[in-house]
């Protein structure tokens, strides 16, 4: 079965430091990959997505992610973290259903804390 | 703001009761998805509707049902509620895109079963 693993449940970084959130997926075909952010009391906001092509994708809020097929990974990065980045981050893969549509399979999330 | 609205924002009810959660998709979107976010199960896909018809089913309990109306809003009905149904329920919507629809999420409805 398709799955997404986010090995880090919690990560704490200092403001201004760099950030990398890990995501590993298990998917037979070419994966469609997403990173979402969930701020407290909010819904999920799409940060970036990878469908094909350039393996380094740029997203909103200064985030980027790199797709590495050999490692089945899609790690999220940011060179300099801001206090407002404190939130929960979810990696997801699009999984095709029997009707041909896609549902998303989410990882368990990584909660980011930013120290002033 | 994603453009997807969900009501109510919070819901507190007792075990054995039935509730209805409502979702209005973004203007122009034809698909509605329901997800459940709980502490022990994480974010799980429940069901998808496309233009009024059920398209895909995930880990949705038989006590739960959904429908999508002609105006494309959707309702998720939860019955015979148990303590374990306490969770955040998200609705997402999308329009047909290639190669995969991008889903836009609402703010969620937090259900507490006491």
């Amino acid at each position: 079965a398709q799955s997404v693993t986010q090995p880090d449940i919690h990560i704490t970084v200092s403001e201004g430091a760099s950030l990398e959130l890990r995501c590993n997926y298990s998917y037979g075909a070419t994966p469609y990959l997403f990173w979402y952010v969930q701020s407290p009391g909010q819904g999920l906001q799409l940060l970036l997505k990878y469908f094909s092509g350039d393996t380094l994708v740029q997203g909103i809020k200064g985030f980027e992610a790199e797709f590495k097929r050999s490692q089945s990974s899609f790690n999220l990065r940011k060179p300099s973290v801001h206090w407002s980045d404190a939130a929960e981050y979810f990696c997801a893969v699009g999984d095709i259903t029997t009707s041909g549509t896609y549902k998303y399979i989410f990882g368990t999330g990584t909660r980011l804390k930013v120290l002033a | 703001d994603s453009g997807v609205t969900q009501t109510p924002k919070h819901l507190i009810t007792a075990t054995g009761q039935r509730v209805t959660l409502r979702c209005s998709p973004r203007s122009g979107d034809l698909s509605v998805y329901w997800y459940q976010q709980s502490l022990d199960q994480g974010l799980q896909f429940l069901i998808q509707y496309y233009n009024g018809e059920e398209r895909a089913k995930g880990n949705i309990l038989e006590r739960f049902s959904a429908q999508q109306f002609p105006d494309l809003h959707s309702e998720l009905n939860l019955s015979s509620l148990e303590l374990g149904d306490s969770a955040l329920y998200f609705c997402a919507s999308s329009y047909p895109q290639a190669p995969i629809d991008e889903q836009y999420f609402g703010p969620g409805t937090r259900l507490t079963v006491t």
Side-chain angles (χ1 to χ4, degrees):
Chain A
Q2 281 62 255
S3 65
V4 175
T5 302
Q6 293 180 248
D8 305 305
I9 298 174
H10 297 278
I11 280 189
T12 300
V13 299
S14 297
E15 192 170 17
S18 63
L19 171 70
E20 182 167 29
L21 303 183
R22 295 184 290 165
C23 172
N24 292 96
Y25 65 89
S26 168
Y27 197 73
T30 301
Y32 299 126
L33 296 161
F34 305 84
W35 273 101
Y36 280 85
V37 60
Q38 183 181 20
S39 299
Q42 304 291 317
L44 285 84
Q45 182 183 21
L46 180 67
L47 287 175
L48 45 78
K49 61 194 177 192
Y50 173 78
F51 293 167
S52 65
D54 193 346
T55 56
L56 186 62
V57 292
Q58 302 296 321
I60 62 170
K61 305 186 181 190
F63 285 93
E64 66 178 27
E66 186 170 12
F67 171 63
K68 292 185 178 179
R69 185 186 297 276
S70 61
Q71 297 176 20
S72 298
S73 69
F74 188 55
N75 294 348
L76 182 72
R77 301 194 294 244
K78 187 168 185 179
S80 177
V81 168
H82 188 262
W83 65 266
S84 61
D85 293 325
E88 189 150 23
Y89 292 80
F90 292 92
C91 181
V93 66
D95 182 29
I96 194 163
T97 68
T98 53
S99 65
T101 61
Y102 284 85
K103 65 185 183 193
Y104 288 7
I105 295 177
F106 285 89
T108 49
T110 297
R111 188 170 294 278
L112 173 65
K113 184 176 178 180
V114 179
L115 301 177
Chain B
D1 185 352
S2 67
V4 179
T5 60
Q6 290 186 248
T7 56
K9 202 167 183 177
H10 301 277
L11 200 48
I12 302 174
T13 189
T15 53
Q17 295 299 304
R18 172 189 169 95
V19 298
T20 298
L21 312 184
R22 182 188 168 103
C23 168
S24 293
R26 294 186 320 155
S27 177
D29 285 0
L30 299 177
S31 278
V32 169
Y33 311 76
W34 287 97
Y35 290 84
Q36 179 194 58
Q37 185 181 32
S38 62
L39 284 175
D40 53 345
Q41 299 285 335
L43 253 170
Q44 297 231 321
F45 168 72
L46 295 178
I47 197 164
Q48 179 205 358
Y49 276 81
Y50 176 83
N51 206 20
E53 292 190 7
E54 183 185 302
R55 268 293 183 95
K57 245 179 176 176
N59 301 320
I60 187 166
L61 299 171
E62 285 195 15
R63 300 184 285 109
F64 295 1
S65 65
Q67 54 185 327
Q68 186 179 27
F69 295 86
D71 67 352
L72 300 177
H73 90 271
S74 177
E75 292 181 357
L76 179 66
N77 300 295
L78 316 175
S79 61
S80 302
L81 285 167
E82 301 174 0
L83 295 177
D85 298 327
S86 296
L88 195 49
Y89 291 84
F90 285 110
C91 164
S93 72
S94 72
Y95 64 89
Q97 286 177 290
I100 176 174
D101 297 0
E102 184 177 315
Q103 297 180 24
Y104 294 84
F105 285 77
T109 293
R110 182 167 295 282
L111 173 66
T112 303
V113 182
T114 62

